Amino acid sequence: KEDAPSQADCVDLLDELTRSDLEQLGGVSGRCARIRARLPAPQPLDFPKEDVQLGKTKVFLRKGPHTRLEAHRSRVVSTAAVLLQSELRGAVMRKIYLFHREAAVVVQRVFRGYVDRERARSLREAKASAVITRNVLMSYHRKRFLTLVLGCTKLQRLVRCAVAKRLGAAVKIQSLWRMWCACGTYWGLLKCIIVLQNRFRKGVAVALLRGMKKDMKNVGKLQEEKERLSPRW
């Protein structure tokens, strides 16, 4: 037929399908990849196109291509078998491990309970002895503390009286010294203010004098000022 595939197209299609099936069955990563890496690698599927013959319902191969294809298939089957065996052994060992782990957990729980009970008993005994010791020491130190408080109170009263007497004299001296310092500052500021006022008044007077001198030169203005200042009868 005109639309039937050629021999070269059949070979390429067989190569592509074989490689995709092998990749899907064997896998290219993970455990399958590691298992396949340990197995002997078969010859690549690069046989000539003349070794393949396409029939109506079947594909005919020569011995060489058929042997290579079977080698790849056996490698994929071996990989799957090794993977299944490893999964089975893992399941068996996992079951054994879980059984032993549960037994170890039970033993550890029982032992820890015993240890904790013994520790709690020792802690109760230590706490009781600590309470008794604390009460005895507290009564002893309370008596000693009260005696020291009474002695310190008397001593503080005497010291405070002496300090109050000295403090009164010191306060008087400090007040006099501060008053003298404040007076010195006040008189200094007063002198500065008086000097500034004199300078300001001098400037104002000079300005008025200059204005009056200018007005004296203007006769008409003097006449108007005289008329303004003269009483009207």
Side-chain angles (χ1 to χ4, degrees), residues 173-212:
I173 295 172
Q174 288 178 357
S175 61
L176 292 174
W177 171 254
R178 290 170 183 168
M179 184 176 64
W180 185 81
C181 293
C183 289
T185 305
Y186 170 76
W187 288 113
L189 293 174
L190 184 62
K191 289 179 181 180
C192 293
I193 292 171
I194 292 172
V195 170
L196 291 175
Q197 288 177 351
N198 291 333
R199 296 277 296 181
F200 179 74
R201 289 169 183 170
K202 179 181 177 182
V204 173
V206 169
L208 291 175
L209 181 61
R210 289 178 182 176
M212 292 177 66

